[in-house]
Amino acid sequence: MDKKSSVTIHDIARELKISASTVSRALNDNPRISRFTKDKIKAVALKMGYQPNTIASNLRNQKTNTIGIVVPLINRHFFSTFISGVEEVAFNTGYNVIISQSNDLLEKEKKIVHSLFSNRVDGLIISLSMQTDKFDHLELFTNKNIPLVFFDRVAPQLKANKIVVDDYAVGLKATQHLIDEGYRRIAHLAGPTVLNTYHDRMEGYMAALRKNNLPVVEERIIYNRLTRMDGQEAIKHLLNLQNPPDAVFCGNDTTALSMIMYLKRIGIRIPDDFGIIGFSNEPFSEVVTPSLSTLKQPAFEMGEKAAELLIHEIEDKHQPREYRTITMPTELIIRESSFRKG
Amino acid sequence: MDKKSSVTIHDIARELKISASTVSRALNDNPRISRFTKDKIKAVALKMGYQPNTIASNLRNQKTNTIGIVVPLINRHFFSTFISGVEEVAFNTGYNVIISQSNDLLEKEKKIVHSLFSNRVDGLIISLSMQTDKFDHLELFTNKNIPLVFFDRVAPQLKANKIVVDDYAVGLKATQHLIDEGYRRIAHLAGPTVLNTYHDRMEGYMAALRKNNLPVVEERIIYNRLTRMDGQEAIKHLLNLQNPPDAVFCGNDTTALSMIMYLKRIGIRIPDDFGIIGFSNEPFSEVVTPSLSTLKQPAFEMGEKAAELLIHEIEDKHQPREYRTITMPTELIIRESSFRKG
DNA sequence: TGAGAATATGCAATCGATTGCACTTTAAAA
DNA sequence: TTTTAAAGTGCAATCGATTGCATATTCTCA
């Protein structure tokens, strides 16, 4: 093996011919140790290159100062930005962050959740996989009263804090905007509506139509997994309808983008002949031509908020639990793809 | 506190009136335990909802099955994709991943590195902050022979494995491409050249010019931090030169993009009047108009490779160390912003 | 000067899993 | 039937830091 592993408080104690307890107390600034002794110990600790073993401390304290994050895919802009926000708050509060991605697979999500539990994370922040329809694995946390915060794709049944956007309002705002721009046959590309986020958005979409006395036409609503490919399939399908739509509200910017590409290719003018609005304001949405109207989710702020809520719950063990669902504001960003008034 | 914390091997032992050692061995499939006993123990463990305490195990085994990643910014596409690759391999090999972001601040990087060390990660993967010019904090790892892998922004001096792209070739390829397209007064927007990655790229840029008997003009090389704002400043500055350039090779796609935006705004035609090539193939580069020529780094594969190297080194403790620098291929992607032959 | 208070430090158990060594039981060999 | 080997378990120490409960020393005031 390597050279003698690491310096421990016992090594320091031996060096100074005192007990390890005193060293531990001194390094933690326990008032029971005199200033003189503390200084001496700290000096020696520094000289010997002491680095505390957090593992040992964690075991003894039953606390790891670590929070787990589970997202479907780390390199999706929304998620990585969210994670960035979590990390920011966590770091400033003295917490580490373990991340894992479920790849939208329930089985992987289960394994991850178990592993994070075994690693005794102090709390968990999770956005569910697209496949997740049962929640037994999460009861590992809820049963043991380990703080849990959902965001984005949440489990409505479970008692936990939740960070979401008002998806109903999103659907309403997006659709109303298209109506305001004069579109009348508005389609909707929805994700799997078992997930409340997609379900609510569709409700908002329908509500907007009704409010404006426009018919809700079944065949104009398409459900899929919202990949790039799905977007292209969807627009082809929609254009082939007897009475094709003149605009689409897409479940995400990715599908909206692939629709724009397709429409440009076949020569349909945006926004003149066809309006498009997406969701989540990806980095590319601003720069594509025509630029893509969308709704912005405050990803970084959601991460910060999730971390704050979680850490607050971790450190306030004795508070009676009261679970909140925090709705973050979304912002309608009107760009070229849907703006034909001006 | 909560209900009695968790089930331990001692609880299982008591339940079965056997010793904890036997339980431990049974759960780890130690051959010294009979099949009969094993089955009995596993059944009870399951029934009691036993979840191993990884912390305790880590302490005893002096191994955490955790690797640390430090990147400047988690939500940069290159980094989050890299992380995604690391996570993939780590998960499949039974490792957890702790991530932190330095925000390109040396001080934060130092704190993170110390914290990860104290958390006894089995290895570390790091891309240095833009400010990092001293490496004492990393000696914490190298001195103790804890595996360390650099990627992207590496410390050339230190003995460790490194994953990079051939930045010299990048500079060469990008510049040669612009020359091939008929541009003659090619500028370069470089990052801080203390970082070898930017330094090498600039060398490649200059080599390409020389090889084609084009002059290397000092004032056409600009150094900054490559933010969006920096890109705009740079293009303004370049256009105001006595003898302004007719093309730019940008240190990243972000600055290339902001240049495109600016040039479009003031009516300079791309690629006819001005050529642009960026670096790293951001998601937006493909969809901006004109689409942006760039060089693609295999971020996900780099993450996989880094994880493989690191984990291999972790698990091969007794191998004599031999450090490699792995150069990953980059791909020149020619798009509209620099293509005027066809 | 002596008693109690205040101050400073040490002992040993604890967190939960692992493992070298020892012990017991059973089976096989002599 | 006795000896020896093999198989199956348990004891207790260990990983490193923390902390309740002593104990030891110094100080203060009657």
Side-chain angles (χ1 to χ4, degrees), chain A residues 113 116-117 121 124 138-146 148:
Chain A
V113 168
L116 290 174
F117 180 84
V121 293
L124 185 69
L138 293 168
E139 287 169 6
L140 212 52
F141 284 80
T142 52
N143 283 345
K144 293 226 159 49
N145 271 307
I146 302 172
L148 181 58

Side-chain angles (χ1 to χ4, degrees), chain A residues 65-67 69 80 83-92 94-99, chain B residues 66-75 79-80 82-83 97-105 107-117 119 121 124-129 151:
Chain A
N65 288 298
T66 297
I67 66 188
I69 306 186
S80 65
I83 293 170
S84 187
V86 172
E87 198 277 345
E88 186 84 8
V89 170
F91 177 82
N92 291 330
Y95 283 79
N96 284 109
V97 175
I98 297 186
I99 45 159
Chain B
T66 298
I67 67 189
I69 306 186
V70 185
V71 296
L73 204 57
I74 293 170
N75 74 337
F79 290 124
S80 65
F82 178 92
I83 294 170
V97 176
I98 298 187
I99 46 160
S100 304
Q101 53 194 346
S102 66
N103 296 119
D104 269 322
L105 302 174
E107 283 312 312
K108 189 171 177 196
E109 181 176 292
K110 282 188 189 173
K111 282 190 197 164
I112 290 169
V113 168
H114 274 88
S115 161
L116 290 173
F117 180 85
N119 273 281
V121 293
L124 184 68
I125 298 176
I126 184 169
S127 171
L128 298 172
S129 90
F151 76 100

Side-chain angles (χ1 to χ4, degrees), chain B residues 9 21 24-25 28 32 50 60:
Chain B
I9 52 171
S21 339
S24 171
R25 291 194 177 102
N28 289 314
R32 281 166 49 184
Y50 171 75
R60 169 66 215 224

Side-chain angles (χ1 to χ4, degrees), chain A residues 203-214:
Chain A
E203 291 289 339
Y205 155 80
M206 296 196 295
L209 293 180
R210 288 200 202 92
K211 207 166 78 182
N212 293 270
N213 295 315
L214 293 172

Side-chain angles (χ1 to χ4, degrees), chain A residues 78 151-154 162-171 196-197 200-201 279 295-299 302 325-331:
Chain A
F78 171 70
F151 76 101
D152 186 52
R153 306 216 200 110
V154 311
K162 289 160 196 160
I163 314 270
V164 295
V165 298
D166 185 344
D167 283 296
Y168 182 84
V170 164
N196 57 320
T197 179
D200 293 354
R201 245 182 264 167
F279 178 76
L295 288 106
K296 176 180 174 181
Q297 321 189 67
M302 288 172 78
T325 294
I326 296 194
T327 305
M328 305 288 285
T330 58
E331 185 190 342

